[in-house]
Amino acid sequence: MYPDNSLVRDISRMQQSNYGREGFSHITVTGALAHGTKEVEVWLQTFGPGQRTPIHRHSCEEVFIVLKGKGTLLLGSSSLKYPGQPQEVPVFQNTTFSIPVNDPHQVWNSNEHEDLQVLVIISRPPVKIFIYDDWSMPHTAAKLKFPYFWDEDCLPAPKDEL
Amino acid sequence: MYPDNSLVRDISRMQQSNYGREGFSHITVTGALAHGTKEVEVWLQTFGPGQRTPIHRHSCEEVFIVLKGKGTLLLGSSSLKYPGQPQEVPVFQNTTFSIPVNDPHQVWNSNEHEDLQVLVIISRPPVKIFIYDDWSMPHTAAKLKFPYFWDEDCLPAPKDEL
């Protein structure tokens, strides 16, 4: 993927990919690595029925806007040694929610019939994501995935050292 | 306006106001003063035919996503002593653009028939806006409007000193 730093960009012509995740689609609408923003980043993501993000946390703010569909926000806590039993909160078209910094969370298209489409805004890009296997994994055991899938292909290829 | 810090909020039930501007509507989807975000803020704004933002600048990043309609982005420069003749760039549904930090700009619904609806994301809220009378006003003469209209009613009322 080559960066497109045009002043005005057409989202409907942007490259989307599932980055190896079944029933998932991601577009980097505005990105730190792709477009040079330093303080905010915007993604457009679609989750097929039943699909979920990993359980994860990050030390940046995140705001979701649900453009289409219905789903469930699962939100753990950073106040124990592990996320704990998450709150399960229904989300639906035209709702918005923010993830508190460092709180482990998961967005789940819990609807069997429709796609869930969300606009996602993060601060302090590029995102540094720590992934949990389950809600009982200690925070210290969560695994850093950096760069994240959609940022990997924005980084310059390593030089040929031959 | 009272802050609504519910975890999930319904945008279609949020208060909208024109803050005294004809043909304009603003909703603070996620706000620093209204909802406690510290690093990002999201607005939903609608401009009637012919309506414009003021010519203004701010020292935060700003990303626009055009949800409906067509318009024109006018973008000056912070590199001279005044904004100078702005670039005029067409914007339309499903496009996105970012305003470089401190560059004076104006969003104009240059279409005569339709509303222009945009989602606006800023960093480092609440926004500190410097307003220009025209594109030839020196940067140093632009006037700070703080708090901005939609943040004014989120601040606590002054105490009755009697």
Side-chain angles (χ1 to χ4, degrees):
Chain A
M1 193 194 298
Y2 295 94
D4 175 3
N5 282 311
S6 315
L7 189 53
V8 175
R9 299 186 302 277
D10 188 340
I11 297 170
S12 58
R13 292 173 174 224
M14 289 181 182
Q15 182 175 336
Q16 52 180 293
S17 170
N18 70 1
Y19 297 95
R21 278 157 66 178
E22 192 78 22
F24 173 73
S25 158
H26 170 98
I27 292 174
T28 298
V29 172
T30 306
L33 297 176
H35 314 107
T37 49
K38 291 180 167 49
E39 303 182 359
V40 292
E41 189 160 299
V42 182
W43 310 329
L44 179 63
Q45 298 186 326
T46 307
F47 298 86
Q51 299 303 312
R52 305 172 182 237
T53 66
I55 303 170
H56 66 287
R57 74 166 196 269
H58 36 65
S59 60
C60 61
E61 285 191 348
E62 184 172 37
V63 176
F64 285 83
I65 295 174
V66 180
L67 300 180
K68 287 181 199 161
K70 303 182 193 72
T72 302
L73 164 65
L74 293 101
L75 185 62
S77 167
S78 56
S79 64
L80 303 171
K81 286 189 176 172
Y82 53 90
Q85 183 68 28
Q87 292 183 69
E88 297 198 15
V89 190
V91 302
F92 48 92
Q93 189 173 344
N94 242 342
T95 61
T96 186
F97 50 97
S98 305
I99 307 299
V101 168
N102 277 324
D103 275 0
H105 58 283
Q106 181 174 50
V107 173
W108 170 29
N109 182 357
S110 50
N111 190 281
E112 290 178 15
H113 304 291
E114 280 175 280
D115 281 354
L116 173 69
Q117 188 179 47
V118 292
L119 200 70
V120 187
I121 296 137
I122 62 150
S123 63
R124 287 186 268 162
V127 72
K128 286 108 198 152
I129 285 187
F130 286 84
I131 297 179
Y132 297 76
D133 293 334
D134 56 53
W135 298 97
S136 62
M137 184 181 239
H139 295 305
T140 51
K143 286 178 203 120
L144 176 63
K145 169 74 183 122
F146 181 78
Y148 210 59
F149 299 101
W150 37 89
D151 287 331
E152 271 176 355
D153 55 5
C154 297
L155 293 176
K159 282 187 185 154
D160 186 343
E161 299 291 351
L162 287 179
Chain B
M1 194 194 297
Y2 295 95
D4 174 3
N5 283 312
S6 315
L7 189 52
V8 175
R9 300 186 303 277
D10 188 339
I11 297 170
S12 57
R13 292 173 173 222
M14 289 180 182
Q15 181 176 336
Q16 52 180 293
S17 171
N18 70 1
Y19 297 95
R21 278 158 66 177
E22 191 80 21
F24 172 73
S25 159
H26 170 98
I27 292 175
T28 299
V29 172
T30 307
L33 297 176
H35 313 107
T37 50
K38 290 180 166 50
E39 303 182 358
V40 292
E41 188 160 298
V42 182
W43 311 329
L44 179 62
Q45 298 186 326
T46 307
F47 298 85
Q51 298 303 312
R52 305 173 182 235
T53 66
I55 303 170
H56 67 287
R57 73 165 196 268
H58 35 65
S59 60
C60 62
E61 285 191 348
E62 184 172 38
V63 176
F64 285 83
I65 295 174
V66 180
L67 300 180
K68 288 181 199 163
K70 303 182 192 73
T72 302
L73 164 65
L74 293 100
L75 185 62
S77 167
S78 55
S79 64
L80 303 171
K81 286 189 176 171
Y82 53 91
Q85 183 68 27
Q87 291 183 69
E88 298 198 14
V89 190
V91 302
F92 49 91
Q93 188 174 343
N94 241 343
T95 60
T96 186
F97 51 97
S98 304
I99 307 299
V101 168
N102 276 324
D103 275 0
H105 58 283
Q106 181 175 50
V107 173
W108 170 30
N109 182 356
S110 51
N111 190 281
E112 290 178 14
H113 305 290
E114 281 175 280
D115 281 354
L116 173 69
Q117 188 179 46
V118 292
L119 199 69
V120 186
I121 296 137
I122 63 149
S123 63
R124 286 186 268 161
V127 71
K128 287 108 198 151
I129 285 187
F130 286 84
I131 298 179
Y132 298 76
D133 294 334
D134 55 54
W135 298 97
S136 62
M137 183 181 240
H139 296 305
T140 50
K143 285 177 204 121
L144 176 63
K145 169 73 183 122
F146 181 80
Y148 210 59
F149 299 101
W150 37 88
D151 287 329
E152 271 177 355
D153 56 4
C154 297
L155 294 176
K159 282 187 185 154
D160 186 343
E161 299 290 352
L162 287 178

